[in-house]
Amino acid sequence: MCRNIKTLFNFEPPATQDEIDASALQFVRKLSGFNKPSQANAEAFDRAVAEVSAAARRLLSSLHTHAPARDRDVEAEKLRERSRVRFA
């Protein structure tokens, strides 16, 4: 799993389009092995990012849960604490 791809479901406020696009870009980069594709592959790369982003939006809008929405600040603090413990 890509470490830079973050969970986007069940947060308040909901994931923004920019967050969804960023996760799609990271996913396509991981799959393709390209950080920035060549001109010959740019169109296919950009199309893949757009398609993954659209699929992610559809997925997020169709998911349902009874769990309370998570707070982004609390989750970010948990990640920072895990990093402090791991790299201390």
Side-chain angles (χ1 to χ4, degrees):
M1 182 74 177
C2 294
R3 293 181 188 182
N4 294 333
I5 296 177
K6 299 175 182 156
T7 301
L8 300 177
F9 177 62
N10 197 27
F11 279 100
E12 192 58 46
T16 65
Q17 186 58 47
D18 287 342
E19 290 173 312
I20 294 170
D21 291 343
S23 69
L25 176 61
Q26 287 297 322
F27 183 73
V28 172
R29 283 178 173 169
K30 185 69 169 184
L31 287 178
S32 68
F34 299 135
N35 189 32
K36 182 174 180 353
S38 65
Q39 287 181 339
N41 293 319
E43 184 179 334
F45 186 90
D46 292 341
R47 184 175 53 251
V49 171
E51 289 173 1
V52 169
S53 183
R57 274 194 313 277
R58 285 192 306 272
L59 173 66
L60 291 173
S61 67
S62 66
L63 294 174
H64 301 283
T65 184
H66 294 292
R70 294 177 283 183
D71 183 284
R72 291 178 190 280
D73 294 331
V74 171
E75 296 299 319
E77 183 55 38
K78 287 179 186 177
L79 287 173
R80 282 191 290 274
E81 182 58 30
R82 277 197 298 252
S83 289
R84 276 192 289 269
V85 169
R86 181 176 178 194
F87 298 111

